[in-house]
Amino acid sequence: MSHEVALMGDMLNIVAEDMQKHGLSKVEKLKLRVGTLSHSVPDALEMAFEIHKAMKAPILTEDSALEIEVEEARAQCVICGHEYVPDHRVALCPNCGVPGGKLIAGDAIRIVSYEGV
Amino acid sequence: MAEIILSQDALASNNRAASHNRQLFEQYGVLVINVMSSPGAGKTTLLEKTIEALGDRYRIGVIQGDLATQIDADRVRARGASAAQINTHGVCHLEAAMVNKVLPQLDLEALDLLFIENVGNLVCPSGYDLGEHHRITVLSVPEGNDKILKYPVMYLRTELVLLNKIDVLPYFDFDVEQAIEDLRTINPKSRLIPLSVKEETNLDEWYQWIDEVYARWPKAVG
């Protein structure tokens, strides 16, 4: 949990920097895309967002909203080219059965966009 | 009001700090290995033994990451390595900026190898690049072989797994063959070395791995 709080702090810093360039000061909505194989879960990020609000993060208000889009992990087999949704055996291709899969999506957290005033 | 598209990795600032660290390490010719594991898997004892065994061959430094205390740094200092301690004060992983902050405590010019002992945790440390050149994970027999499948992201991003405490294999249901097989289905490029730090079993294979990666490292030549 402390992990998501720190991560949210980093993201708010990135947003704050960008807002300054646009002459904005408060976030109305922040949109994130969170991969299912990133090391964070939406619930914990939402809680972290609320914690930063409670800690009076300068760019957040009571009404600032967080929108999280979950990105399904995807892997592609380097042997047969098959694309699949990996389970815990990330590299194991369900088509050819060879562990030759590489993760191509779903391992990151991205700040997609924000709306501010 | 308009939506402003950022499309930035949440870890962008960490990644920038990590590249900066890596540049520094390369400038000073220090090969850096990030050591991760659960708490109690034996990271510090492994590093103590490694310093003893390889201290003649390499000038070794250690950065210790812990929630609190200096205990680990004192332990490796006692073996003759230079050490810096990071206390994360509750944060569950090391970040590149934390590493950067303690670098002045180490004389990088006088080092060949630097181990960064991450906070004991199989989840978050895997997400943070610290500027290292290699990542290894210590897994110990009492934890069980299911840890590999339960924490796939950790094993996806590690190139070497040291399976520690094999001296207690007779007392646990740890299936070594299954662990090797599971690791292959997550990350076919990684390798597993079974060893016992305490009994000093098979440590040579680990030392050989260090020699290999060091010899392969372009900076070591110049």
Side-chain angles (χ1 to χ4, degrees), chain A residues 2-3 7 11 14 18 24 28 31 37 39 88-92 99 103 107 109-116, chain B residues 1-11 90 92-93 124 127-128 149 152-153 156-157 182 184-186 188:
Chain A
S2 50
H3 162 71
L7 189 66
M11 289 192 276
I14 292 171
D18 195 75
L24 302 168
E28 293 197 316
K31 258 195 217 173
L37 278 185
H39 34 84
H88 289 302
R89 297 171 196 270
V90 179
L92 196 66
L103 206 55
D107 60 341
I109 300 173
R110 291 189 83 77
I111 309 167
V112 178
S113 64
Y114 68 88
E115 291 169 25
Chain B
M1 102 261 31
E3 181 178 9
I4 296 171
I5 306 294
L6 259 182
S7 191
Q8 266 216 48
D9 192 314
L11 295 173
C92 48
H93 57 267
C124 334
Y128 289 83
L149 290 185
V153 180
L156 187 65
R157 294 175 180 158
D182 289 344
R184 215 169 65 95
T185 64
I186 292 174

Side-chain angles (χ1 to χ4, degrees), chain B residues 78-92:
Chain B
R79 311 280 159 158
S82 35
Q85 178 88 44
I86 300 173
N87 284 143
T88 61
H89 303 293
V91 178
C92 48

Side-chain angles (χ1 to χ4, degrees), chain B residues 52-210:
Chain B
E52 274 177 9
L54 303 184
D56 299 340
R57 246 180 289 173
Y58 304 103
R59 297 167 300 169
I60 301 176
V62 179
I63 293 176
Q64 304 277 355
D66 268 304
L67 298 180
T69 79
Q70 283 275 340
I71 297 169
D72 284 356
D74 292 342
R75 278 173 62 184
V76 300
R77 265 189 213 112
R79 311 280 159 158
S82 35
Q85 178 88 44
I86 300 173
N87 284 143
T88 61
H89 303 293
V91 178
C92 48
H93 57 267
L94 290 182
E95 296 187 9
M98 301 177 189
V99 170
N100 190 267
K101 227 165 114 184
V102 298
L103 287 182
Q105 294 174 34
L106 297 166
D107 182 4
L108 290 181
E109 212 149 359
L111 291 183
D112 302 312
L113 266 181
L114 175 65
F115 293 100
I116 303 178
E117 186 182 331
N118 220 307
V119 179
N121 177 348
L122 288 179
V123 187
C124 334
S126 69
Y128 289 83
D129 182 5
L130 304 178
E132 72 271 15
H133 301 99
H134 298 280
R135 278 183 177 205
I136 70 162
T137 304
V138 183
L139 171 68
S140 65
V141 168
E143 294 170 60
N145 53 266
D146 61 342
K147 290 298 170 291
I148 293 178
L149 290 185
K150 278 187 176 162
Y151 298 91
V153 180
M154 171 59 73
Y155 293 99
L156 187 65
R157 294 175 180 158
T158 201
E159 57 180 290
L160 176 69
V161 176
L162 297 179
L163 175 60
N164 189 19
K165 310 188 189 179
I166 56 166
D167 51 307
V168 299
L169 271 174
Y171 309 103
F172 289 87
D173 293 328
F174 192 105
D175 187 338
V176 179
E177 289 309 310
Q178 187 65 50
I180 293 170
E181 179 63 31
D182 289 344
L183 186 62
R184 215 169 65 95
T185 64
I186 292 174
N187 180 355
K189 287 199 188 118
S190 66
R191 179 175 151 194
L192 185 143
I193 300 177
L195 49 78
S196 165
V197 175
K198 185 169 158 250
E199 302 294 325
E200 306 195 8
T201 314
N202 212 24
L203 285 175
D204 285 342
E205 209 177 320
W206 151 239
Y207 300 149
Q208 212 175 358
W209 182 86
I210 295 175

